[in-house]
Amino acid sequence: MIVVLNNKSNLNQEQFLGYQKQLEDIISDHKLVLCPSNIYLADFYLENLSLGVQNVSPYEEGAYTGEIASSQLKSLGVSYAIVGHSERRLYFHENEMDLKKKIESLLKYEIIPILCIGEMEKQDGLRVVESQLEILKAIDKNEQVIIAYEPVWAIGTGQVPTIEEVEKVISFIKGKFPQNSVIYGGSVNEENIYNLKSSLLNGYLLGGLSLKPDRLRQFLNQLDR
Ligand code: 13P
């Protein structure tokens, strides 16, 4: 399984350094990926986790003020990148064209894209997911993209779909992209993981829980039960 930790826009530098120290002794058979704020990428030293980012520039290195290109991320040891998180689609108006460019740029530098998809409201799951998956069809080597199903209504709300609801969407995605890994995100924690396990899932994307190392440890223990 792959467990991706999305810190979002949290932690000042002192807090990040303390947090990273708390992650030092986490041992897991699962692939753990930490996606901190970009300003801490160069502070990352953990050997038990891989390094990821929460976003990437759609452009190559050059005159794009404020953006960080895939080649630059690669030089810092980044091996995963979240793309198209609902918060970026919503607040930063990322469109499908941007996402396609981002994914292509990441693949060029051998960084694994984690494409987030998911419906806003509690209905329409399949229709939204189907249209958000369209961009993958236009991308070479798209089987390397990890697809993260994150129903927007479940993010940070404490509300989670039933495992049957999750499986319905995951089966649909796997029907279209059988070779891709598919993970679930949205209010996952050390308690509800019991109800969110499925042989169809290849992992989880954690937001709030990623910031709580003790609870994260419990989550990883539960995942193995
Ligand atoms: P929460 O786990 O806080 O709901 O966030 C999920 C998420 O958006 C991860 O990318």
Side-chain angles (χ1 to χ4, degrees), residues 17 21 25 30 34 36 51 56 65 92 95 105 113 117 128 134 158 167 183 194-195 198 205 212-213 216 218 224:
L17 294 175
K21 195 147 188 47
D25 62 352
H30 304 291
L34 178 63
L51 187 57
V56 64
T65 303
F92 302 95
N95 60 39
S105 154
I117 57 173
V128 173
E134 275 297 306
E167 285 186 329
I183 65 179
Y194 269 125
N195 304 322
S198 164
L205 176 48
K212 309 267 186 306
L216 180 62
Q218 288 175 40
D224 290 329

Side-chain angles (χ1 to χ4, degrees), residues 6 8 82 85-87 116 150 154-158 185-188 205-209:
N6 178 6
K8 306 196 178 182
I82 297 171
H85 191 282
S86 59
E87 288 149 15
C116 296
E150 292 207 298
I155 295 178
T157 60
S187 290
V188 179
L205 176 48
L206 311 178
L209 194 73

